[in-house]
């Protein structure tokens, strides 16, 4: 019999919430591993291992005595006879899917008692087909074994319903986003805005999105733009008071002052504040505080010669008038727009994102009113450290911002968030409930795991240990668009894209050869 | 009490006591200690044990579940049967008492109901399980034994019968079978089954042995023979890791065709056991062969759970044991059948209630 179909365990008890399986000696069951029970009448049950524990038919005191004797060098002529029969491992597993004639259903019955259990194979998951707009996430994983079965979600459904990537540092968040963006570059009808605070997605000096065979779909903005890309310059006049209000916490006096300057000077209001132009009823002190705030946050000031200056060269009083419009047009053309915000402080980065997102959101609202929304590409906004804009405290202090608005209402306008965070617990439940795909990477913080589990699309209440034990690159995809919480292995981006490039080159050369042959004939 | 105990145990060790005319016992002697040296005998060893528990009890009937099991090991690795003999047989036995007015005697009659028809061939015949209550072997002094003891006879006979089949189907030259308990027989008709098993063993050249967890043998000073030999070993400074002590006695009784020895099978063990070899085989064995057989047992007596006691018998005990939890299942099954006949159920309950009050008190006490 094929190794894959060998019995690796047997049901010895449990119930609908957890099925107890005795491990066949040497089978090495793993946390998160997927198991299959072939029941009668073409019915198959897929289980996932949530916990493993030692069991023994020998009393614990006997084990302890034996251990003591071993450690102290006594009883060298004693052993546990037939240890494989008497000491064993029991897995607590949960039935996650019931396949009736190959059609997946939620399990409602228990498999036959004492039935044997085997490892999952690609064949068992043949119902996981490639969707129309495939967004590749990784390959199905059973424990640490990787199956030759790629997992895609349909980007046109998943992106407007928002995607959350929760994980602690070093678990492969950036790698996952790179893999996803690479996959999205193959699709023509998705505009993705990426605010890149580490300038890691374009691949200035290494293999990354710029190397994609379909890189015509990639637009890059940076204050230090390589040849052929766009310099990130934003005209200071395109910033409205509302943009800033969403990001920065102003006192009521400062708030009043901002609107007074905006009403007085129109789109030059920031320039006038930074220049120190006084207006009636606004105290000098308030003006000085605002001036200092804009310098700290946006890095803008007037030099000794009375010239407007930007410390990061991103904000200008003259250039960059079309930047926002150009970015939005690119997104509307179904391109991935990566904005290098590595020179911006956090608030300024959010501000840039807000300006673009809000303008885009307004435009898509209009398309919906006009009835042309479905002709437009679906939009995704990648935001790192999402609690900066989606956190409970931020929303309580500053009210809803464009990101939280998108989280709640974006789906109606085909705009979704791809939110990345280490701290899910900071995001309100109401927002988490609106995020319908969660790609859960490893997390050692119990409180964070509890929040993730509580807001998942599938019941992951028994997966606490499994999530804690997820290694780098291992993830669980919990989505309303997947039949079950799918454990995946995200490929290492460099390997994944190298392979993709090779495949693409191979295909190109083959089609060229075929063209030549046709010419010959 | 301590003083009394000190006096009682401080007596001379004495010599093995066997109060039979046909028995000659040997004085304790240091020369009778023999070292069991580790050998690497490759023989197959079969271990046989049985268990029974009462499901229903009344003064006039007893219904029991019986189980007999065997396992085989070679080099301490379990061997599966090569024939289609089951490793475990189960049957229900029902002993009922009938009063013969003419003979003025109570007779016990046993009916057997195997859980699978295939088990029938391994079980004793019902006719061999009918006794007069005055049969010496089923009497306790001048009193009739309780019917429950009579019921265990079916299991005992089944052990002999099953052992024979194990030998005939599974064992080869120089292999060995170890029964749990002594090779002594106690009941009428038991010899028929033991003899068949012994003959099969001799025919196949399979050593027929028995190992007793408990021993009630004495010395002529009233001490336990096992305790006295252990003490004697200390007195004599026996420093062998493993040893056996024989001869102890010669007996030619048809009810006990075995040679008794006392053996220590593991250096980490503080227990020694009564071990027996079929006399007719023993007489043909030289010392090397005897010690080699004992060495096979010693090699299987290394388990941490019970050092010095063969693992095969631990396993056989576990598998043959009828657990209390199982009894409820049998009780329910039988009662559901009986309850289809309400009149029978009524009568059944009348008789069962004659002896089950203790169970009710146990339930109240939570035992």
């Amino acid at each position: 019999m094929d190794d894959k179909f060998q019995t690796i365990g047997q049901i010895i008890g449990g119930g609908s919430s957890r099925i107890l399986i005795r491990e066949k000696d040497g089978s090495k069951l793993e946390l998160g591993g997927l198991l299959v029970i072939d029941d009668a009448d073409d019915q198959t049950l897929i289980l996932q291992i949530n916990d493993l524990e030692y069991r023994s038919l020998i009393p614990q005191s006997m084990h302890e005595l034996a251990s003591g004797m071993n450690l102290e060098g006594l009883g060298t002529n004693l052993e546990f006879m037939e240890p494989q029969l008497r000491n064993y491992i029991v897995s607590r597993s949960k039935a996650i899917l019931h396949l009736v004639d190959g059609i997946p259903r939620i399990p409602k019955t228990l498999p036959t008692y004492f039935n044997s259990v085997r490892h999952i194979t690609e064949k068992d998951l043949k119902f996981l087909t490639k969707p129309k707009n495939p967004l590749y996430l990784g390959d199905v994983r059973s424990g640490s074994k990787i199956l030759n079965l790629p997992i895609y979600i349909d980007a046109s459904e998943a992106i407007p319903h928002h995607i959350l990537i929760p994980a602690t540092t070093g678990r492969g968040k950036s790698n996952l986003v790179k893999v996803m963006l690479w996959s999205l570059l193959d699709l023509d009808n998705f505009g993705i805005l990426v605010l890149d605070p580490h300038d890691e997605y374009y691949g200035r000096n290494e293999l990354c999105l710029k190397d994609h065979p379909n890189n015509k779909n990639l637009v890059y903005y940076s204050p230090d733009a390589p040849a052929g890309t766009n310099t990130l310059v934003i005209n200071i006049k395109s910033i409205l008071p509302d943009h800033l209000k969403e990001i920065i916490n102003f006192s009521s006096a400062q708030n009043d002052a901002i609107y007074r300057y905006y009403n007085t000077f129109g789109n030059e209001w920031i320039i006038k504040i930074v220049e120190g132009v006084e207006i009636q009823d606004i105290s000098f002190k308030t003006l000085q505080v605002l001036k200092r705030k804009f310098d700290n946050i946006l890095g803008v000031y007037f030099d000794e010669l009375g010239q407007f200056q930007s410390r990061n060269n991103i904000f200008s009083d003259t250039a960059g008038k079309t930047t926002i419009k150009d970015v939005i047009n690119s997104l509307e053309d179904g391109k991935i727009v990566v904005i290098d915000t590595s020179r911006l402080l956090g608030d300024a980065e959010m501000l840039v994102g807000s300006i673009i997102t809000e303008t885009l959101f307004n435009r898509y609202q209009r398309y919906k009113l006009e009835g042309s929304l479905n002709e437009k590409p679906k939009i995704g906004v990648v935001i790192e450290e999402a609690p900066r804009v989606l956190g409970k405290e931020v929303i309580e202090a500053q009210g809803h911002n464009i990101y939280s608005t998108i989280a709640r209402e974006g789906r109606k306008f085909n705009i979704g968030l791809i939110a990345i965070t280490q701290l899910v617990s900071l995001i309100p439940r109401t927002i988490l409930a609106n995020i319908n795909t969660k790609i859960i990477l490893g997390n050692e913080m119990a409180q964070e795991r509890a929040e993730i589990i509580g807001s998942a699309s599938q019941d992951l209440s028994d997966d606490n240990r499994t999530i804690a034990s997820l290694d780098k690159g291992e993830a669980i995809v919990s989505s309303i668009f997947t039949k079950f919480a799918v454990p995946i292995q995200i490929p290492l981006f460099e390997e994944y894209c190298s392979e993709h490039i090779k495949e693409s080159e191979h295909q190109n050369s083959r089609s060229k050869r075929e063209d030549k042959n046709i010419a010959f004939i | 009490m301590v003083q009394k105990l000190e006096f009682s145990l401080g007596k001379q060790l004495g010599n093995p006591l066997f109060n039979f005319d046909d028995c000659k016992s040997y004085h304790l002697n240091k020369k009778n200690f023999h070292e069991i040296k580790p050998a690497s005998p490759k023989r197959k060893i079969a271990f046989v044990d049985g268990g029974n528990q009462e499901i229903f009890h009344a003064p006039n009937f007893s219904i029991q579940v019986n189980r007999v099991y065997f396992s085989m090991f070679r080099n301490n690795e379990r061997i599966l049967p090569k024939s289609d003999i089951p490793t475990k047989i189960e049957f229900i036995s029902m002993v009922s008492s009938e009063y013969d007015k003419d003979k003025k005697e109570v007779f016990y009659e046993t009916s057997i109901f195997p859980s699978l028809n295939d088990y029938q061939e391994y079980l004793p015949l019902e006719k061999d399980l009918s006794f007069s209550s005055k049969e010496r072997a089923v009497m306790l002094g001048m009193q009739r034994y309780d019917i429950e003891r009579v019921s265990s006879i079916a299991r005992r006979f089944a052990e002999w019968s099953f052992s024979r089949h194990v030998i005939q189907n599974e064992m080869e030259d120089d292999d060995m079978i170890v029964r749990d308990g002594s090779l002594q027989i106690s009941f009428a008709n038991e010899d028929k089954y033991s003899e068949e098993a012994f003959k099969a063993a001799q025919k196949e050249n399979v050593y027929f042995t028995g190992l007793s967890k408990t021993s009630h043998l004495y010395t002529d000073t009233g001490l336990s023979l096992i305790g006295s030999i252990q003490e004697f070993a200390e007195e004599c400074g026996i420093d062998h890791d493993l040893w056996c002590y024989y001869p102890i006695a010669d007996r030619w009784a048809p009810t006990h065709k075995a040679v008794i020895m006392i053996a220590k099978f593991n250096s980490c063990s503080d227990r020694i056991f009564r071990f027996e070899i079929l006399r007719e085989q023993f007489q043909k064995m030289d010392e090397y062969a005897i010690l080699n057989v004992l060495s096979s047992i010693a090699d299987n007596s290394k388990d941490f759970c019970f050092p010095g006691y063969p693992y095969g018998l631990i396993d056989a005990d576990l598998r043959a044991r009828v657990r209390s939890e199982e009894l409820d299942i049998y009780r329910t099954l039988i009662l559901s059948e009986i309850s289809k006949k309400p009149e029978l159920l009524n009568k059944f309950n009348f008789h069962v209630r004659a002896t089950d009050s203790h169970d009710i008190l146990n339930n109240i006490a939570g035992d």
Side-chain angles (χ1 to χ4, degrees):
Chain A
M1 192 190 274
D2 190 335
D3 266 6
K4 288 176 178 175
F5 292 100
Q6 269 184 0
T7 296
I8 54 161
Q10 202 161 26
I11 298 171
I12 54 160
S16 55
S17 59
R18 57 182 180 187
I19 295 171
L20 301 178
I21 294 166
R22 177 178 168 148
E23 180 192 272
K24 185 178 186 300
D25 185 47
S27 295
K28 295 279 175 206
L29 298 184
E30 291 182 285
L31 270 184
L34 296 174
L35 307 174
V36 174
I37 296 166
D38 297 306
D39 228 338
D41 304 329
D42 262 356
Q43 302 204 14
T44 302
L45 200 73
I46 297 178
L47 309 168
Q48 187 168 35
I49 300 170
N50 299 124
D51 206 358
L52 294 166
E53 66 177 39
Y54 289 117
R55 292 232 182 144
S56 180
L57 301 174
I58 299 163
Q60 181 60 21
S61 57
M62 201 59 75
H63 282 288
E64 290 172 19
L65 176 65
S67 167
M69 290 177 84
N70 273 340
L71 293 170
E72 305 308 328
L74 305 165
T76 46
N77 54 347
L78 293 178
E79 59 190 79
F80 282 119
M81 310 271 272
E82 296 196 293
Q84 76 283 9
L85 273 188
R86 301 155 83 199
N87 303 319
Y88 50 95
I89 288 169
V90 166
S91 84
R92 292 168 195 273
S93 305
K94 192 172 70 176
I96 53 172
L97 218 55
H98 187 192
L99 299 175
V100 182
D101 294 328
I103 300 162
R105 295 194 179 148
I106 292 169
K108 290 194 172 68
T109 56
L110 281 173
T112 313
Y113 198 78
F114 228 52
N115 213 335
S116 41
V117 176
R118 62 171 172 85
H119 280 303
I120 200 161
T121 66
E122 288 84 356
K123 230 177 168 181
D124 297 308
L125 298 171
K126 62 185 175 194
F127 60 88
L128 292 172
T129 49
K130 194 172 180 176
K132 197 177 163 195
N133 297 292
L135 168 53
Y136 173 72
L137 301 177
D139 297 317
V140 176
R141 176 180 54 80
S142 173
S144 61
K145 292 179 200 78
I146 303 159
L147 272 67
N148 184 20
L149 186 68
I151 281 293
Y152 302 95
I153 47 175
D154 194 321
S156 67
E157 290 179 324
I159 290 176
H161 280 78
H162 316 295
I163 296 171
L164 181 73
I165 303 172
T168 46
T169 310
R171 297 299 180 115
K173 290 189 297 270
S174 299
N175 183 73
L176 169 62
V177 175
K178 283 179 189 173
V179 169
M180 288 168 70
L181 293 174
W182 184 272
S183 171
L184 283 164
L185 273 171
D186 278 327
L187 307 175
D188 288 328
N189 215 21
F190 294 91
I192 308 291
L193 173 66
V194 186
L195 298 171
D196 185 0
H198 306 297
D199 193 21
E200 59 186 330
Y201 295 123
Y202 176 73
R204 185 184 288 269
N205 300 313
E206 67 281 323
L207 194 66
C208 209
L209 299 183
K210 71 170 190 313
D211 302 295
H212 195 285
N214 197 22
N215 60 9
K216 65 175 171 43
N217 270 354
L218 181 70
V219 180
Y220 179 59
Y221 283 88
S222 171
D224 184 18
T229 63
N230 308 286
T231 305
L232 178 64
V233 181
I234 292 172
N235 196 284
I236 200 82
K237 293 174 189 169
S238 54
I239 301 173
L240 302 177
D242 282 352
H243 292 142
L244 278 174
K245 223 181 91 185
E246 285 182 357
I247 307 298
I248 304 160
N249 201 5
F250 291 112
S251 69
S252 58
Q254 291 162 1
N255 219 20
D256 285 348
I258 282 171
Y259 281 99
R260 283 290 307 279
Y261 271 88
Y262 180 67
N263 291 337
T264 310
F265 300 108
N267 59 13
E268 292 205 340
W269 67 283
I270 295 179
I271 297 170
K272 295 299 177 190
I273 290 173
V274 175
E275 198 179 352
V277 177
E278 291 186 61
I279 57 173
Q280 207 180 352
D281 297 336
I282 300 297
S283 75
F284 179 72
K285 198 177 156 193
T286 304
L287 178 62
Q288 290 305 309
V289 173
L290 284 174
K291 214 172 140 180
R292 197 169 59 246
K293 269 199 172 177
F294 287 158
D295 190 1
N296 287 342
I297 294 163
L298 305 178
V300 291
Y301 64 99
F302 268 77
D303 64 11
E304 291 144 1
L305 301 171
Q307 297 294 309
F308 180 86
Q309 296 293 344
S310 168
R311 293 184 202 280
N312 46 36
N313 294 328
I314 288 173
F315 297 104
S316 166
D317 58 341
T318 52
K321 283 179 185 164
T322 63
T323 304
I324 303 295
K325 200 173 144 194
D326 293 344
V327 168
I328 290 169
N329 286 343
S330 295
L331 291 169
E332 262 195 52
D333 286 343
K335 293 186 189 324
I336 292 180
V337 180
V338 178
I339 298 178
D340 166 21
T341 57
S342 58
R343 291 228 206 137
L344 290 173
L345 293 173
D347 287 341
E349 182 202 356
M350 285 298 109
L351 176 67
V352 172
S354 283
I355 298 167
I356 299 167
T357 315
E358 191 158 321
T359 314
L360 186 75
F361 188 73
N362 292 339
R363 211 188 266 194
Y364 266 57
Q365 274 182 317
R366 201 178 71 233
Y367 292 149
K368 187 172 170 76
L369 272 174
E370 292 167 359
S372 59
L373 184 66
N374 288 339
E375 295 158 21
K376 303 291 172 188
K378 290 177 178 167
I379 304 290
V381 179
V382 178
I383 43 168
E384 300 246 4
E385 302 303 337
R388 288 184 298 170
V389 286
L390 297 177
K392 289 172 202 163
E393 283 181 16
V394 175
I395 294 170
E396 275 167 22
Q398 285 148 239
H400 278 290
N401 53 52
I402 184 61
Y403 298 100
S404 62
T405 306
I406 289 176
R408 288 180 293 115
E409 299 174 36
R411 182 156 47 97
K412 288 187 280 186
F413 307 104
N414 286 345
I415 301 177
L417 298 176
I418 299 170
I420 303 159
T421 181
Q422 295 195 44
L423 299 166
V424 181
S425 59
L426 298 182
I427 301 174
R429 276 273 168 99
T430 45
I431 288 181
L432 287 176
N434 277 301
I435 302 178
N436 289 323
T437 297
K438 289 166 184 99
I439 306 169
I440 304 161
L441 289 104
N443 202 318
E444 63 270 20
M445 292 184 282
Q447 192 193 344
E448 296 307 311
R449 289 202 301 273
E451 286 292 335
I452 294 165
I453 289 166
S455 64
S457 301
Q458 279 91 8
D459 175 19
L460 300 184
S461 52
D462 294 322
D463 288 79
N464 197 4
R465 294 277 337 122
T466 313
I467 295 171
S469 69
L470 289 174
D471 216 335
K472 192 171 182 174
E474 294 179 346
I476 296 170
V477 181
S478 171
S479 170
I480 59 168
F481 306 111
T482 56
K483 302 287 181 190
F484 64 104
V486 190
I488 60 163
Q489 174 70 48
I490 304 153
L492 198 62
F493 175 74
E494 285 74 15
E495 288 172 10
Y496 168 66
C497 73
S498 301
E499 209 169 293
H500 192 259
I501 291 166
K502 261 187 223 163
E503 255 175 46
S504 175
E505 284 169 356
H506 179 68
Q507 267 180 356
N508 283 344
S509 64
R510 203 170 59 184
S511 59
K512 274 181 194 165
R513 272 204 311 275
E514 279 167 6
D515 287 348
K516 274 187 187 172
N517 287 343
I518 290 164
F520 250 98
I521 290 162
Chain B
M1 189 204 74
V2 173
Q3 279 177 344
K4 179 76 183 165
L5 199 60
E6 197 175 12
F7 172 75
S8 180
L9 301 180
K11 288 182 285 194
Q12 289 284 318
L13 295 179
N15 291 303
L17 174 68
F18 291 89
N19 280 330
F20 303 107
D21 295 339
D22 54 4
C23 181
K24 176 193 168 193
S25 67
Y26 295 93
H27 288 189
L28 291 186
N29 190 329
K30 189 180 175 181
K31 284 181 187 166
N32 293 343
F33 285 104
H34 306 268
E35 184 179 9
I36 304 172
K37 287 184 179 157
S40 49
K42 301 287 181 220
R43 66 171 56 92
K44 192 193 289 183
I45 312 175
F47 295 91
V48 182
D49 196 5
N52 62 291
Q53 281 251 39
E54 194 167 51
I55 310 169
F56 290 109
H57 178 85
N60 52 327
F61 66 82
S62 169
I63 301 175
Q64 305 230 354
V65 59
N66 302 267
R67 188 175 291 151
V68 185
Y69 170 86
F70 90 100
S71 58
M72 294 183 293
F73 290 82
R74 193 198 298 273
N75 291 334
N76 290 338
E77 296 280 332
R78 187 182 293 267
I79 302 170
L80 297 176
K82 59 184 183 201
S83 69
D84 57 2
I85 187 170
T87 54
K88 185 166 69 179
I89 53 169
E90 278 176 343
F91 61 97
I92 303 276
S93 58
M94 189 178 89
V95 182
S96 54
S97 58
E98 304 289 336
Y99 185 69
D100 188 323
K101 283 181 187 168
D102 299 332
K103 292 184 180 172
K104 293 187 177 171
E105 274 181 42
V106 172
F107 275 86
Y108 294 122
E109 287 188 353
T110 305
S111 303
I112 283 178
F113 309 93
S115 57
L116 285 177
N117 285 336
D118 290 354
Y119 297 162
Q120 190 73 60
E121 64 176 300
Y122 308 109
L123 298 178
L125 300 174
E126 287 179 351
K127 70 178 173 66
D128 294 327
L129 294 164
S130 293
F131 305 92
S132 158
S133 61
K134 288 187 177 170
E135 180 74 46
R136 237 187 101 215
V138 290
M139 290 184 75
L140 180 64
M142 292 306 289
Q143 277 193 315
R144 276 192 299 271
Y145 252 117
D146 185 89
I147 198 164
E148 191 183 344
R149 175 175 160 84
V150 179
S151 198
S152 71
I153 295 170
R155 188 259 302 158
R156 206 176 151 88
F157 284 21
E159 283 178 17
W160 287 116
S161 174
F162 197 45
S163 298
R164 171 172 68 85
H165 282 91
V166 171
I167 293 165
Q168 288 172 337
N169 288 291
E170 295 294 328
M171 316 229 67
E172 287 154 20
D173 185 48
D174 201 42
D175 286 345
M176 173 179 185
I177 186 164
V178 185
R179 258 176 60 98
D180 177 58
S182 151
L183 301 187
Q184 192 165 3
I185 57 168
S186 309
F187 300 103
N189 302 330
E190 189 175 0
D191 59 331
K192 185 177 155 186
Y193 295 93
S194 64
E195 279 302 319
E196 281 181 349
F198 293 155
K199 275 181 194 159
Q202 285 171 283
K203 189 181 170 200
E204 304 294 337
N205 200 22
V206 171
Y207 298 110
F208 204 111
T209 67
L211 192 140
S212 306
K213 284 188 283 289
T214 54
S215 166
H216 297 287
L217 296 177
Y218 293 98
T219 64
D220 53 13
T221 56
L223 292 172
S224 82
L225 180 63
I226 292 279
S228 299
I229 288 182
Q230 200 155 16
E231 203 177 325
F232 186 56
E234 265 189 29
E235 276 178 17
C236 298
I238 300 299
D239 56 1
H240 308 313
D241 279 346
L242 319 176
W243 51 259
C244 74
Y245 183 92
Y246 71 88
I248 292 170
D250 278 340
R251 194 182 174 204
W252 293 272
T255 54
H256 193 199
K257 295 185 167 182
V259 173
I260 301 172
M261 323 173 166
I262 306 293
K264 180 177 181 176
F265 290 119
N266 194 293
S267 60
C268 291
S269 172
D270 49 7
R271 287 167 194 272
I272 55 177
F273 297 101
R274 169 179 170 174
F275 183 72
E276 297 177 18
I277 301 177
L278 182 64
R279 191 189 314 126
E280 284 178 78
Q281 291 178 320
F282 181 86
Q283 285 167 342
K284 291 175 191 164
M285 295 160 80
D286 59 15
E287 188 176 325
Y288 173 81
I290 294 164
L291 293 175
N292 190 266
V293 162
L294 287 154
S295 179
S296 300
I297 298 287
D299 194 46
N300 192 260
S301 304
K302 295 175 180 169
D303 194 70
F304 265 118
C305 291
F306 197 170
Y309 188 74
Y311 173 71
L313 284 180
I314 299 174
D315 173 66
D317 174 78
L318 279 172
R319 312 285 184 101
R321 188 179 287 260
V322 180
R323 295 173 194 280
S324 306
E325 307 90 83
E326 297 176 62
L327 294 182
D328 286 338
I329 299 168
Y330 285 104
R331 271 190 201 112
T332 310
L333 282 171
I334 292 170
L335 274 179
S336 73
E337 283 303 307
I338 295 174
S339 62
K340 288 175 186 167
K341 296 182 174 177
E343 222 172 289
L344 175 64
L345 180 66
N346 216 19
K347 282 184 179 175
F348 179 83
N349 283 334
F350 288 154
H351 293 288
V352 168
R353 282 175 199 145
T355 52
D356 73 348
S357 301
H358 202 265
D359 295 340
I360 293 169
L361 287 175
N362 282 347
N363 274 341
I364 294 167
D367 283 349

